[in-house]
């Protein structure tokens, strides 16, 4: 299975000829799953870019790979690896690798509820927003999640996943906590086209560098199922 979502923003809306405002931005997501037998392999990628005149205001990307072993069983094991960057916030790069024990609490045609309990290794390099000092950190973290899929009817479905990750920073002698969430509300237009509403959010209680603790994005787009 493969689903792709893309969007493009280009305009020149200026108040005067002496002060032009040129905006260029794009976003694309590709989600895929290959399930040849008892194991499943999942690939996720998304990229965001926004430029106003000659200044980059957003440059974010993520590539995530996951293998779920014994997919059909109620309890199974998955492993994952991820690369991401967030240039505007000073993150380049973040590498994550780990594994999870997942349990399917509810499984029906209308609803699937999955709980995951696991751990991961995280490597990050941050750049301070004012001094531009580079800070590299490595953590072992507990990584846990809850995932919910609910079909309201044959045209509308809701998908929700929320991660909680926590690790101990020996250098600062503190625990660092992170919440990541994603909510998708999909309305089917045809057998292949859907209208998608997506909310992404992230909260870090003790960021490595002084940046905004809570960030979010809301998007409306059209997706195509191959």
């Amino acid at each position: 299975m493969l689903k792709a979502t893309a969007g493009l923003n280009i305009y020149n809306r200026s108040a005067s000829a002496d002060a032009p405002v040129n905006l260029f931005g794009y976003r694309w997501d590709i989600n895929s799953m290959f399930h040849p037998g008892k194991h499943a392999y999942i690939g996720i990628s998304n990229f965001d870019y926004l430029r106003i005149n000659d200044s980059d205001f957003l440059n974010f990307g993520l590539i995530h790979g996951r293998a779920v072993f014994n997919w059909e069983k109620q309890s199974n094991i998955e492993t994952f690896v991820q690369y991401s960057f967030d240039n505007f916030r000073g993150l380049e790069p973040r590498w994550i690798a780990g594994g999870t024990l997942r349990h399917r609490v509810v499984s029906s045609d209308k609803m699937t509820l999955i709980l995951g309990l696991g751990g991961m290794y995280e490597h990050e390099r941050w750049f301070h927003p004012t001094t531009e000092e580079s800070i590299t950190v490595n953590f072992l973290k507990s990584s846990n999640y809850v995932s919910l899929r609910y079909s309201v009817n044959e045209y509308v479905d809701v998908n929700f996943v929320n991660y909680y990750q926590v690790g101990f920073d020996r250098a600062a002698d503190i625990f660092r906590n992170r919440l990541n969430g994603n909510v998708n509300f999909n309305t089917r237009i045809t057998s292949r086209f859907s209208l998608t509403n997506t909310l992404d959010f992230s909260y870090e209680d003790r960021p490595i560098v002084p940046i905004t603790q809570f960030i979010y994005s809301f998007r409306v787009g059209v997706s195509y199922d191959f």
Side-chain angles (χ1 to χ4, degrees):
M1 295 187 295
L2 179 67
K3 173 176 281 193
T5 306
L8 182 66
N9 241 329
I10 303 175
Y11 70 73
N12 178 3
R13 186 184 293 268
S14 304
S16 67
D18 296 332
V21 177
N22 298 294
L23 182 145
F24 173 78
Y26 67 82
R27 177 183 176 89
W28 56 269
D29 300 297
I30 298 178
N31 300 317
S32 62
M33 184 176 77
F34 179 54
H35 187 194
K38 61 181 181 179
H39 309 314
Y41 307 95
I42 299 169
I44 300 171
S45 65
N46 62 70
F47 291 88
D48 267 328
Y49 179 73
L50 176 64
R51 186 181 72 230
I52 300 178
N53 293 338
D54 295 326
S55 299
D56 292 336
F57 278 83
L58 179 67
N59 192 4
F60 170 83
L62 178 149
I63 301 173
H64 181 96
R66 184 174 294 255
V68 184
F69 304 101
N70 299 307
W71 171 271
E72 303 294 343
K73 290 189 175 182
Q74 187 175 11
S75 297
N76 47 37
I77 294 174
E78 60 187 355
T79 59
F80 58 87
V81 62
Q82 177 179 302
Y83 165 77
S84 63
F85 62 89
D86 192 343
N87 294 146
F88 190 66
R89 286 165 60 82
L91 175 63
E92 171 64 33
R94 171 184 284 151
W95 283 99
I96 292 175
T100 308
L101 174 64
R102 65 199 297 270
H103 179 71
R104 192 179 293 111
V105 180
V106 179
S107 181
S108 67
D109 292 337
K110 289 187 67 68
M111 186 173 76
T112 301
L113 176 64
I114 298 173
L115 301 179
L117 177 65
M120 69 180 194
Y121 169 79
E122 182 177 67
H123 168 84
E124 296 179 330
R125 183 174 64 187
W126 290 88
F127 293 89
H128 196 283
T130 55
T131 66
E132 297 187 358
E133 176 190 3
S134 172
I135 303 174
T136 300
V137 294
N138 298 280
F139 296 113
L140 287 174
K141 288 187 173 183
S142 170
S143 179
N144 315 289
Y145 70 86
V146 55
S147 174
L148 173 68
R149 178 195 61 82
Y150 180 69
S151 295
V152 180
N153 52 48
E154 60 179 314
Y155 300 103
V156 179
D157 65 87
V158 180
N159 295 279
F160 166 82
V161 60
N162 188 80
Y163 283 87
Y164 170 63
Q165 299 164 346
V166 57
F168 184 70
D169 187 341
R170 293 179 180 274
D173 196 30
I174 57 173
F175 282 96
R176 296 187 185 273
N177 300 274
R178 179 190 298 145
L179 285 174
N180 283 322
N182 172 274
V183 182
N184 266 294
F185 187 83
N186 302 306
T187 304
R188 186 169 293 280
I189 302 171
T190 68
S191 60
R192 292 190 178 271
F193 282 97
S194 299
L195 178 67
T196 66
N197 300 273
T198 303
L199 173 66
D200 292 313
F201 60 88
S202 178
Y203 171 77
E204 299 202 38
D205 66 337
R206 293 182 172 96
I208 303 298
V209 296
I211 54 175
T212 304
Q213 292 175 281
F214 178 75
I215 58 173
Y216 69 91
S217 66
F218 179 75
R219 304 181 306 278
V220 178
V222 175
S223 65
Y224 181 79
D225 294 326
F226 291 88

